[in-house]
Amino acid sequence: MIDVMQIVFGVFVFIFGSVIGSFLNVVILRTPLKQSIITEPSHCFSCGHRLAWYDMFPIFSWIFLRGKCRYCGAKVSPRDMIFEAACAVLYLLAYIRFGLSWELAYAFVLFAVLICVSGIDIDHFEIPYWCSIAVAVLGVSAFFVFPETVWYERLISMGVVGVLFVILVLIGGMGGGDLQLMLGASLLLGYRVFPALFVGILLGAIYGSVKKLRDRKAEKEISEKIKEVAMDWYQEQLDRDSGYVSVGHDDIIVGGISDGNPDIEWEFLDENVWHGLPDKAALSRTLRENITGEREGGFKIYIKEDLVVKVKYSRRMVFGPFLSVGIAASWLYGSIIMDWYIGLL
Ligand SMILES: [Zn+2]
């Protein structure tokens, strides 16, 4: 028998989740730009018209206006609506799973932080420090609120995740932000962090393979462009006798494009194999002038003696959203998964 009160609470939790989700969209948009999340009124990004309260009704405004601005008809991305719906559904799932409890309160805070992690990582390829700190604070407080997960389980999990991540970061794909997030999650989840990690890596790998196929052509074109720039630059170094890789040696120049700006990481240059000093500023400058319209990626320029032999460019991918899904799923169902898994042994 489903209690009427439970349905009323469920509806309330869903609406509450969508309102929180709507607020999180503002946090995702404004905090990375260091803008206030309170003072500025919301407006259409196309026509600048100030939005009325009925234009900002979470989820439903977008659906009723069929994804268009009421004033100018410009298309509004469904993304905000998707995040609102995700928050609402996650909150409702947590209520169904936990009822009114500490687990539910933790779920509300945790899922809000994870939605910020996902949105900001997608936009800026970076998991903000404050998000990982927030998860870690939840984790430390969980030592006292949920003592049934013993303290050493949480610390052991953190240690194992730390070691695993050193390997994952070295293989590539994962960054320091992902590590910080998962360390905080280990404190919170204990052994349940492992199903979280498994789900996150699995989803990330599936997405990564699809993305790799889709981006292959663009990556090749940008590699070619970088190669042209690098070849001209290197020829200049040779002509001027200013700095080049010595006979019988090779080296790799490592760089990246971050927020649309190409940059070289000169500290990776093996100065022992270079004859003289190359004009570093010139290469950075010509890359910035010639490589435009590409947002995030990394490249390697392979040099052998008097030739730029190869350039390999690959677009960066985000892991934060997938790890977030894993953490949320594990907070909701991790103990069920663990029990099932232990039952198999
Ligand atoms: Zn408009």
Side-chain angles (χ1 to χ4, degrees), residues 43-49 51 68-74 76:
H43 54 84
C44 167
F45 284 104
S46 212
C47 66
H49 198 292
L51 299 181
K68 287 187 191 124
C69 167
R70 186 194 298 279
Y71 308 98
C72 70
V76 179

Side-chain angles (χ1 to χ4, degrees), residues 14 17-26 28 55-68 76-89 115:
F14 186 86
S18 71
V19 171
I20 294 291
S22 177
F23 170 71
L24 295 176
N25 278 323
V26 180
I28 290 166
D55 297 322
M56 295 186 286
F57 219 80
I59 307 174
F60 299 102
S61 283
W62 190 90
I63 293 172
F64 287 136
L65 294 169
R66 284 186 236 97
K68 287 187 191 124
V76 179
S77 154
R79 196 184 101 161
D80 283 10
M81 188 273 288
I82 290 169
F83 278 8
E84 284 156 6
C87 196
V89 169
I115 285 172

Side-chain angles (χ1 to χ4, degrees), residues 11-291:
V11 170
F12 174 77
V13 165
F14 186 86
I15 294 171
F16 176 63
S18 71
V19 171
I20 294 291
S22 177
F23 170 71
L24 295 176
N25 278 323
V26 180
V27 174
I28 290 166
L29 186 67
R30 293 188 181 167
T31 53
L33 309 173
K34 310 259 185 295
Q35 291 175 348
S36 163
I37 49 176
I38 302 163
T39 52
E40 288 160 65
S42 300
H43 54 84
C44 167
F45 284 104
S46 212
C47 66
H49 198 292
R50 211 174 138 174
L51 299 181
W53 64 269
Y54 48 81
D55 297 322
M56 295 186 286
F57 219 80
I59 307 174
F60 299 102
S61 283
W62 190 90
I63 293 172
F64 287 136
L65 294 169
R66 284 186 236 97
K68 287 187 191 124
C69 167
R70 186 194 298 279
Y71 308 98
C72 70
K75 265 199 154 175
V76 179
S77 154
R79 196 184 101 161
D80 283 10
M81 188 273 288
I82 290 169
F83 278 8
E84 284 156 6
C87 196
V89 169
L90 282 171
Y91 276 26
L92 181 62
L93 286 175
Y95 173 68
I96 292 169
R97 171 88 172 90
F98 300 122
L100 297 176
S101 63
W102 274 111
E103 280 90 346
L104 182 67
Y106 269 62
F108 283 176
V109 180
L110 177 66
F111 296 169
V113 174
L114 293 175
I115 285 172
C116 290
V117 165
S118 305
I120 295 172
D121 201 13
I122 288 169
D123 289 347
H124 301 278
F125 290 83
E126 168 182 289
I127 296 174
Y129 204 50
W130 67 263
C131 290
S132 302
I133 295 283
V135 175
V137 167
L138 282 179
V140 171
S141 66
F143 278 65
F144 308 100
V145 180
F146 306 107
E148 60 275 18
T149 302
V150 285
W151 60 271
Y152 56 82
E153 176 184 327
R154 299 174 191 276
L155 294 181
I156 290 170
S157 303
M158 192 163 85
V160 175
V161 164
V163 173
L164 277 176
F165 255 82
V166 171
I167 300 167
L168 291 173
V169 171
L170 286 179
I171 292 173
M174 296 261 190
D178 300 315
L179 169 63
Q180 287 163 8
L181 177 68
M182 291 313 286
L183 289 179
S186 317
L187 287 178
L188 180 62
L189 294 167
Y191 295 150
R192 288 175 295 158
V193 78
F194 298 112
L197 199 55
F198 178 75
V199 168
I201 291 175
L202 184 68
L203 293 177
I206 293 168
Y207 171 77
S209 323
V210 174
K211 183 178 154 59
K212 202 77 209 159
L213 286 174
R214 208 188 54 197
D215 286 353
R216 207 161 48 184
K217 196 161 153 265
E219 285 176 340
K220 217 177 151 205
E221 279 170 18
I222 293 154
S223 299
E224 287 298 317
K225 258 166 120 185
I226 295 173
K227 192 177 174 189
E228 272 171 40
V229 170
M231 280 168 78
D232 286 350
W233 170 81
Y234 195 62
Q235 192 57 50
E236 252 172 60
Q237 310 308 305
L238 287 168
D239 291 347
R240 289 194 194 146
D241 207 15
S242 55
Y244 50 87
V245 174
S246 306
V247 178
H249 291 282
D250 43 24
D251 198 10
I252 300 170
I253 296 177
V254 181
I257 301 177
S258 169
D259 256 335
N261 276 312
D263 210 0
I264 309 263
E265 295 173 39
W266 288 109
E267 62 273 22
F268 290 111
L269 207 68
D270 182 2
E271 287 187 358
N272 296 323
V273 305
W274 284 72
H275 178 88
L277 271 180
D279 187 350
K280 297 175 178 177
L283 180 58
S284 297
R285 192 179 58 241
T286 42
L287 274 177
R288 227 167 293 145
E289 282 162 5
N290 288 286
I291 311 298

